[in-house]
Amino acid sequence: KLEEILGEHTSDRKKIASAISIINQSGAVEYANGQACKIVLGAWGEFDREFPAQSEAKEILKKLALFAIERAV
């Protein structure tokens, strides 16, 4: 059903709402958020090892990365 709706490229609000409902019920959003968190935290760990010195720029970059994975969808 989801593939059908997405394949239509529709602007029908009921079909769009149905697609969103299917996605939400599938757990896809939570799964994607978990994967994003793993990727960002893993990358940050590597970055932190490569550039151990603390700086304001590094702290801002870290806050931006954390914001990207913690914001509500």
Side-chain angles (χ1 to χ4, degrees):
K1 176 83 176 167
L2 179 60
E3 288 182 46
E4 179 184 316
I5 295 169
L6 295 177
E8 292 177 8
H9 303 284
T10 185
S11 58
D12 181 311
R13 292 192 180 272
K14 287 184 180 181
K15 288 184 179 182
I16 293 170
S18 178
I20 291 170
S21 177
I22 292 167
I23 292 168
N24 286 336
Q25 290 174 8
S26 74
V29 173
E30 292 80 8
Y31 175 79
N33 283 341
Q35 292 299 332
C37 186
K38 287 179 190 177
I39 291 167
V40 169
L41 294 178
W44 185 260
E46 291 180 35
F47 182 84
D48 202 32
R49 283 188 293 281
E50 200 64 36
F51 303 98
Q54 297 301 315
S55 69
E56 183 179 355
K58 185 177 173 184
E59 190 59 32
I60 291 170
L61 182 61
K62 183 176 184 179
K63 287 179 181 180
L64 177 62
L66 293 175
F67 171 77
I69 59 174
E70 291 174 352
R71 68 184 180 86
V73 175

